[in-house]
């Protein structure tokens, strides 16, 4: 049997010039509809570019999903780095780094501060990071995206650590929190909230017109010239508008439309490709909604605990949090059913010699 790769048909030039331009982490040259918000972020950070030892205004950036919060903030950081060598910008997504220790470890990594393999306590890791910033003599700004993930188990204490760093370590930090939750500040630990004292910037959902402008801007970078039909772009924008003005939904639909065109060997992205992309998104959304209907009270409680935890839980941790709600046997059966419904993922962990039973890691699908 011949090598499967050598037997593939010859690759033709596709419709994409740079498909990364449609991905969430892409930082665009223009941000249609977010010029005012970008200016507000820049004004808050401007002191960092002016003199050593300066501090900007702490910010709380909030708004619905796909409203441009992350893209605008990251664009401001990019421009600040290009404008001045006095600032040092750090961005951490708390969905990926969901504990105080994990955030500090990632900040140390971004600062190229080596950490010993034996492991360090969170306070020690932060001292290493703060020391690197102090030595650099730069003004640091730390962006914590999806910060609501850190509200569990006192992880928001790190805001207090950052605020006191000037006093204890000689390092100065400006903080930017990003969240979908407009009420996030009221949920912070009292000391953390008092130390932060941020200005707030609200991002409203995009209008249909703004979504079309965003897609036009990104499409110019993502596709070869004259391959995308106006009808396909308009349908993808409408998909995002239907999802509550969510630009990420619209961009994903446009990306999928391009992929659909390439799969059928076409040189142009037509309305049929966009229709298929939008239909697939609707099917996936409807499928999840259907799986969430008709849940038992125990299934709802289990999913609620996992959402509140904001991270994967070991089976023992989950049983402890649901103690008194159901027996371990009932919970095991519940988890197996939730896995069949594709609402949770169960992963076996390596067993410890002499330990009874199995340990599983449980996370939301």
């Amino acid at each position: 049997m011949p090598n499967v790769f050598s037997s593939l048909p010859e690759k033709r030039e596709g419709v994409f010039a740079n498909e990364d331009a449609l991905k969430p982490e892409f930082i665009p040259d223009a941000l249609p509809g977010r010029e005012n918000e970008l200016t507000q972020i820049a004004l808050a950070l401007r002191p960092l570019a002016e003199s050593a030892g300066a501090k900007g205004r702490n910010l709380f950036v909030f708004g619905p999903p796909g409203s441009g919060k992350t893209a605008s903030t990251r664009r401001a950081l990019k421009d600040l780095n290009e404008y001045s060598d006095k600032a040092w910008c750090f961005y951490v997504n708390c969905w990926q780094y969901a504990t105080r220790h994990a955030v500090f470890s990632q900040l140390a990594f971004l600062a190229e501060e080596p950490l010993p393999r034996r492991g360090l306590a969170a306070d020690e890791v932060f001292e290493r990071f703060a020391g690197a910033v102090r030595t650099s003599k730069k003004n640091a700004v730390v962006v914590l995206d999806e910060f609501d993930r850190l509200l569990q188990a006192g992880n928001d204490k790190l805001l207090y650590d950052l605020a006191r760093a000037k006093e204890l370590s000689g390092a100065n930090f400006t903080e930017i929190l990003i969240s979908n939750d407009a009420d996030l500040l009221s949920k912070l630990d009292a000391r953390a909230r008092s130390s932060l004292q941020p200005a707030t910037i609200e991002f409203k959902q995009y209008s249909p017109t703004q979504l079309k402008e965003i897609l036009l801007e990104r499409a110019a970078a993502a596709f070869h010239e004259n391959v995308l039909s106006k009808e396909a772009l308009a349908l993808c924008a409408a998909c995002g508008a239907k999802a509550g003005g969510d630009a990420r939904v619209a961009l994903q639909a446009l990306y999928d439309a391009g992929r659909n065109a390439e799969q059928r060997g076409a040189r142009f992205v037509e309305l049929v490709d966009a229709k298929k992309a939008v239909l697939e998104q609707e099917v996936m959304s409807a499928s999840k909604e259907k799986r969430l209907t008709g849940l038992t009270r125990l299934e709802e409680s289990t999913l609620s605990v996992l959402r509140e935890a904001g991270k994967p839980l070991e089976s023992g941790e989950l049983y402890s949090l649901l103690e008194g709600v159901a027996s371990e046997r009932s919970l095991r059966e519940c988890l197996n059913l939730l896995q069949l419904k594709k609402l949770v993922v169960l992963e076996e962990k390596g067993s410890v010699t002499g330990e009874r039973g199995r340990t599983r890691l449980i996370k939301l699908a």
Side-chain angles (χ1 to χ4, degrees):
M1 180 177 178
N3 184 288
V4 66
F5 290 96
S6 63
S7 61
L8 290 174
E10 184 178 347
K11 186 175 181 180
R12 300 169 58 188
E13 183 181 61
V15 298
F16 288 109
N18 176 21
E19 63 185 57
D20 288 344
L22 298 178
K23 295 181 178 178
E25 59 271 18
F26 182 77
I27 302 175
D29 292 333
L31 290 161
R34 291 296 177 255
E35 294 83 1
N36 181 55
E37 289 84 354
L38 181 59
T39 298
Q40 290 182 64
I41 297 171
L43 288 171
L45 299 181
R46 182 163 61 180
L48 304 179
E50 295 174 341
S51 60
K55 177 176 170 58
R57 182 70 190 272
N58 293 335
L59 293 176
F60 172 47
V61 177
F62 68 96
S67 56
K69 305 182 298 296
T70 298
S72 298
T73 303
R74 297 194 73 173
R75 172 60 189 274
L77 297 187
K78 177 177 177 287
D79 287 0
L80 178 60
N81 274 330
E82 293 174 354
Y83 180 72
S84 171
D85 60 1
K86 296 182 175 67
W88 201 357
C89 302
F90 299 91
Y91 171 88
V92 177
N93 187 311
C94 300
W95 186 269
Q96 296 172 277
Y97 305 94
T99 66
R100 178 169 167 262
H101 189 283
V103 169
F104 287 159
S105 296
Q106 177 63 7
L107 288 171
F109 171 78
L110 294 173
E112 299 183 348
E113 178 66 21
L115 299 176
R117 294 185 65 180
R118 65 176 174 83
L120 296 174
D123 289 340
E124 294 177 281
V125 176
F126 180 65
E127 279 301 316
R128 296 284 188 100
F129 168 60
V133 172
R134 180 184 63 248
T135 301
S136 74
K137 298 182 180 180
K138 292 188 176 185
N139 306 317
V141 54
V142 174
V143 177
L144 300 171
D145 201 351
E146 302 197 65
F147 185 80
D148 39 295
R149 295 281 291 182
L150 292 180
L151 291 181
Q152 300 297 320
N155 287 306
D156 56 342
K157 177 184 178 293
L158 65 83
L159 297 177
Y160 188 63
D161 298 322
L162 290 167
R164 295 190 63 204
K166 178 68 174 177
E167 171 191 347
L168 299 178
S169 307
N172 212 7
F173 295 102
T174 300
E175 302 153 59
I176 300 179
L177 308 188
I178 304 176
S179 176
N180 300 333
D181 186 356
D183 299 321
L184 175 74
L185 295 180
S186 66
K187 300 174 183 177
L188 294 177
D189 171 83
R191 289 193 309 167
R193 185 168 59 248
S194 176
S195 67
L196 188 65
Q197 294 293 313
T200 60
I201 302 177
E202 180 179 7
F203 280 64
K204 304 285 189 181
Q205 70 178 44
Y206 284 115
S207 69
T209 300
Q210 288 172 330
L211 287 173
K212 288 184 74 172
E213 291 174 355
I214 291 167
L215 293 194
L216 280 169
E217 182 75 27
R218 295 289 192 97
F223 295 105
H224 291 297
E225 192 173 359
N226 298 323
V227 304
L228 176 64
S229 74
K230 293 180 180 178
E231 294 81 7
L233 183 141
L235 182 58
C236 293
C239 179
K242 186 178 179 181
D246 193 326
R248 290 189 180 185
V249 170
L251 289 166
Q252 184 64 50
L254 189 56
Y255 174 80
D256 290 343
R259 281 287 173 215
N260 291 338
E262 289 194 334
Q263 286 174 8
R264 64 185 181 88
R267 297 293 183 91
F268 300 95
V269 184
E270 303 285 0
L271 182 59
V272 63
D273 302 306
K275 284 182 176 180
K276 182 180 178 184
V278 170
L279 179 60
E280 287 170 347
Q281 283 205 11
E282 290 175 347
V283 168
M284 288 178 61
S285 177
S287 177
K288 187 166 186 178
E289 287 180 12
K290 184 177 180 180
R291 294 197 302 271
L292 286 170
T293 60
L295 296 178
T296 66
R297 183 172 297 179
L298 178 56
E299 288 172 337
E300 290 178 349
S301 297
T302 302
L303 292 174
S304 178
V305 167
L306 288 168
R307 290 190 199 100
E308 287 294 321
K311 63 177 183 177
L313 294 176
E314 291 186 359
S315 51
E317 294 176 304
L318 183 62
Y319 297 156
S320 177
L321 290 169
L322 288 169
E323 186 176 1
V325 176
S327 67
E328 287 193 17
R329 179 178 178 179
S330 296
L331 284 170
R332 283 195 297 271
E333 292 173 353
C334 171
L335 289 171
N336 289 333
L337 287 171
L338 288 174
Q339 185 178 43
L340 287 173
K341 295 177 181 179
K342 298 182 179 179
L343 293 173
V344 301
V345 176
L346 308 179
E347 296 177 358
E348 298 292 337
K349 291 190 66 179
S351 61
V352 179
T353 304
E355 188 179 275
R356 292 182 62 194
R358 296 179 301 169
T359 298
R360 294 193 291 183
L361 195 65
I362 302 128
K363 59 184 178 181
L364 293 170

